[in-house]
Amino acid sequence: MTAAPKHTDWEEARAVARAVPPLPPVTRDLAEALGHALAEPLTALTDLPPFDTSAMDGWAVAGPGPWRLRGGGVLAGGQPEPLRSGTAVPIATGARLPEGARAVLRSEDGEGDARGGLLVGRSTGPGLPAPGRDVRPRGQECHAGDPLLPAGRSVTPAVLGLAAAAGHDRLTVHRRPLVHLLVLGDELLETGPPRHGRVRDALGPLLPPWLRGQGADVVGRRLLPDDFGPLYEAVRGSTADVVVTTGSTAAGPVDFLHDALRAAGARLLVDSVAVRPGHPMLLAELPPAAGGRPRHLVGLPGNPLAAVAGTVTLAVPLLRRLGGHADAEPVRAACAAALPGHPRDTRLLPVRRTGPAVTPLPFDGPAMLRGVAVADGLAVVPPGGADSGSVVEILDVPRL
């Protein structure tokens, strides 16, 4: 196993995690594309709207009023007959405007005379409404062939709706990375309260939904003992794009991750990061899977908040880039109070927003989750701390 430099700078470690090519494009039905990233720009296959459309319930009118009412009406989905000047027809919101109609007179602005078959505007004056009033003209939103969204945009429910409106049945997206989670530790319990010197596994429940929210498919989760053999076999045998481990990243008597990576022929890209909490995190490149597909391993510390720090530092950037998602603009906020820092390293500190600014939260130790559970984000505090009024980057924390 080739060694990486010790104590990589925090920004540099994130850059290393981002320096991977995205997974190959695949084609997915709209219902299956949610959470993927567009592998090519989304373009319109039609004008939107595809025809002149009524924006209100009322009457489609042609020429100046008063108008002779024509029988029937126009509903959404219908194909209306043309209108002659001086005539009108009832029309529903979203219905196609008849050829010859110049505007829509709202229901509340007109009054029909059933005996004479005339429509008169209540307070709009003769000849009104103005041409184009309450009409969504064809192509108002876009024209066929217009680019709608760039490649790299995450497919959200709104993106699915836009794609459908623009005529798409399928989307070309990047495949979601497959993740195998290995939770290490003889001391971990999966049920009940801590007892007999053992503690509950907090990361097994925490990490899978968070990683799925970052565009990954978690295909397996195993709780492993502190033993070289099972760890080595699990790392070597995994066919996932990314193996995420918790614990065993330091140099304690039962920390076997480095030994297992060495035996598996891995190449260390990051081995310890100058960040608190979580500095004994790592990123490794594993031997390719069948077909030459590259694989990676993210080693997170076992302490819960330290593992959260490792996730935002290495796992999230790696998974977002593998999934083809474009980098989001950094979120920054002013400090409402001084944020304590580490003398030499970057510190990731749970904070809560108070208006436009952020304040530090208690319970920020590496083994604690109480602070991050109520946090609005993690503040990236430079070495030495951040003074009140200074501006810091805010990282997302796990949430629905």
Side-chain angles (χ1 to χ4, degrees), residues 97-121:
L97 203 70
E99 183 181 342
R102 71 170 190 170
V104 171
L105 181 67
R106 298 184 182 190
S107 298
E108 61 269 25
D109 291 340
E111 185 174 1
D113 180 351
R115 291 173 298 174
L118 291 177
L119 171 67
V120 179

Side-chain angles (χ1 to χ4, degrees), residues 42-47 139 141-149:
L42 180 68
T43 58
L45 301 181
T46 180
D47 294 347
E141 187 171 359
C142 65
H143 295 284
D146 282 353
L148 301 176
L149 295 172

Side-chain angles (χ1 to χ4, degrees), residues 185-268:
D186 292 332
E187 77 282 10
L188 298 178
L189 297 167
E190 294 188 89
T191 60
R195 57 195 180 274
H196 309 309
R198 303 178 68 189
V199 297
R200 275 295 295 272
D201 166 32
L203 296 176
L206 185 155
L207 287 172
W210 189 9
L211 300 179
R212 292 187 191 103
Q214 298 302 317
D217 285 331
V218 180
V219 295
R221 185 184 95 186
R222 291 178 61 190
L223 185 62
L224 294 179
D226 288 318
D227 191 321
F228 169 82
L231 176 57
Y232 167 69
E233 293 297 337
V235 170
R236 190 188 66 161
S238 176
T239 58
D241 300 299
V242 178
V243 178
V244 176
T245 63
T246 69
S248 196
T249 54
V254 292
D255 290 336
F256 295 112
L257 182 57
H258 283 86
D259 294 337
L261 291 173
R262 187 177 299 107
R267 182 170 70 96
L268 276 175

